[in-house]
Amino acid sequence: MRPANPVSCSQGASEQLISLIKSCAHESHLLQIHAHILRTRSLEDPTISLRFLSRVSLSPFGRVSYARRFFSQIKNPSLAEFNTMIRAYSGSDSPEEGLYLYREMRRLGERTNSLTSSFCIKSCTKMASLTGGLQIHGRIVRDGHQSDSLLLTALMDFYSICCKSEQACAVFDEMPERDTVAWNVLISCYLRNCRTRDVLAVFDAMIGGECGCQPDDVTCLHVLQACTSLNALEFGGRVHEYIQERGYGDAVKLCNSLITMYSRCGSMDKAFMVFKGMRVKNVVSWSALISGLAMNGKGREAIEAYLAMLRANVVPDDQTFTGVLSACSHSGLVEEGMLFFEEMSKDFQRMPNVHHYGCMVDLLGRAGLLDQAYELIMSMSSKPDSTIWRTLLGACRIHRHVALGERVVWHLTELKAQEAGDYVLLLNTYSSVGDWERVTEVRKFMKDNGIQTTPGCTTITLNGIVHEFTVDDVSHPRQNEIYTMLDEIGSQLKIAGYVPEISSELHNLSSEEKGYRLSNHSEKLAIAFGILATPPGTTIRLANNLRICVDCHNFAKVLSSVYDRMVIIRDRSRLHHFQGGHCSCNDYW
DNA sequence: CTAGGGTTAG
């Protein structure tokens, strides 16, 4: 029997409904409950409607459209209901709706609180909408919520996402108290905005008790990422120790991150140790191992790992295949690569994405199958992006294929995506076949159009301090010693047969104009500093933002034997291990 | 816990 007056509906019935909402396990149940609520007019019971709304907007039934429909049936939504709805929007695919609702609230003169702002900021973060966020920030100040630490933490993350790290720091500085999450957001801001050196410094400060809180598992995840990008193995090892001290050793995310850090820092055995020690491995663990092996030039082992993964009944995903295909391309396993490329869609229903195509173009291109690579690009269902064309352009340079190189640059121009590096590649293609006229032409074009090359930058991390070098750097406090050391290294290497390469790789245009004098690439400066600042026998680990040039490659090769030092350089795409006069990659690329 | 905020692997 339907109660005559729903508001007076018995306590028992209400509780029953609430427990029904709580235990609901299927979307169809929700629909039934919804119908029941409408039928019994329990919608007017604020406890019920709020509960139902938040249940609907929560995963795994996180369907905003459904929540919106229900919300619209509520006559006078309470602040709590407005907030719940905005929260649902902020986590959905249409975060802007949250802001619309917020504006509607203000228009209606509804009360808002700091949670309302918090959800709105989340919407802005998701949209990376700077203007929207600035408005909310203004509101926060006007509403007097500027000492709400949680709200400010969300605001920091917003600025960080919008690449406004200085504003993020300003918010951080104004926070009345900063807990671990606040520090974590600061770290993630540094990480996102290329301030990795500051990440290490903050971690040290936290450990040293200067921040009033200790690093947690999330802190470690961030710091490990920083170590990965800096090729800072030693620091990463310290983080690993900390993880064990704190008892985080079983956390899957952390282990996966450790595998990546170790393998991308060239320490495959440690990566493997972490992997083996994991009681629960997921697809991420396997993929991290596979791409780690790939990056270290161990293509066969990467394929072995992939097969072992299948035997362990772990289903590969897109990133697994990216790892497998890049393993094939780094190790020149053309046939295997083609096979996996076909298999991924046939056996695993995974349609190749740009990364997979990129690997295939790289694979075919390096193998000299340039036309086939071009065909593959043209056959793509989605529009090829600039990275794909750039990969092919790199292959054109290696194989001195001028005509195709020109065509590729044309494609890049059409995409309006051409960058300085592309012209340098084209220029190098011309110079590799001795077409100096065209070289001059391209150079003039670049000069006339003010096209600047990306400055190469190499870092070396010692004792948690990041030392950064650029071409012909004069900013390091020990620059005099470094240049003296570089001179000495130069004469030692010359004796051992190292000949500077000046014509084949026109890496840096200004040096070219200085009359073919080879400038001191950042890699060399960092190596000289490494020799200077570490005891004999210590491995020198560098990270470079571009691609190591032929000359620096030779330099490192000869140096590894003359100075009996292992040198590990990570550039844009791979890891080069130099030892005893050899490099782990068979030839230069 | 009962409405509810911030960071998070390959």
Side-chain angles (χ1 to χ4, degrees), chain A residues 249-273:
Chain A
D250 285 330
V252 178
K253 280 188 191 178
L254 279 172
C255 290
N256 292 343
S257 197
L258 281 168
I259 293 171
T260 302
M261 185 277 292
Y262 279 127
S263 62
R264 296 197 56 172
C265 289
S267 182
M268 213 51 234
D269 43 344
K270 281 194 180 143
F272 202 67
M273 256 167 58

Side-chain angles (χ1 to χ4, degrees), chain A residues 453-470:
Chain A
T453 47
T454 314
C457 170
T458 302
T459 57
I460 175 168
T461 309
L462 300 174
N463 302 318
I465 309 286
V466 180
H467 304 264
E468 198 174 270
F469 296 91
T470 52

Side-chain angles (χ1 to χ4, degrees), chain A residues 312-332:
Chain A
N313 291 319
V314 178
V315 181
D317 66 7
D318 284 0
Q319 295 198 56
T320 318
F321 285 112
T322 305
V324 172
L325 295 177
S326 85
C328 295
S329 92
H330 283 202
S331 302

Side-chain angles (χ1 to χ4, degrees), chain A residues 475-526:
Chain A
S475 62
H476 198 277
R478 296 177 69 178
Q479 59 148 315
N480 290 334
E481 288 172 82
I482 292 170
Y483 280 96
T484 309
M485 177 56 87
L486 195 56
D487 279 344
E488 194 200 309
I489 293 172
S491 45
Q492 293 290 331
L493 297 197
K494 207 171 276 178
I495 295 167
Y498 160 73
V499 183
E501 187 110 13
I502 53 167
S503 61
S504 76
E505 204 67 18
L506 305 177
H507 201 61
N508 180 296
L509 293 175
S510 61
S511 77
E512 189 62 12
E513 271 141 20
K514 278 184 222 154
Y516 291 94
R517 187 183 68 79
L518 204 65
S519 55
N520 289 307
H521 276 179
S522 55
E523 293 91 325
K524 290 183 188 166
L525 292 169

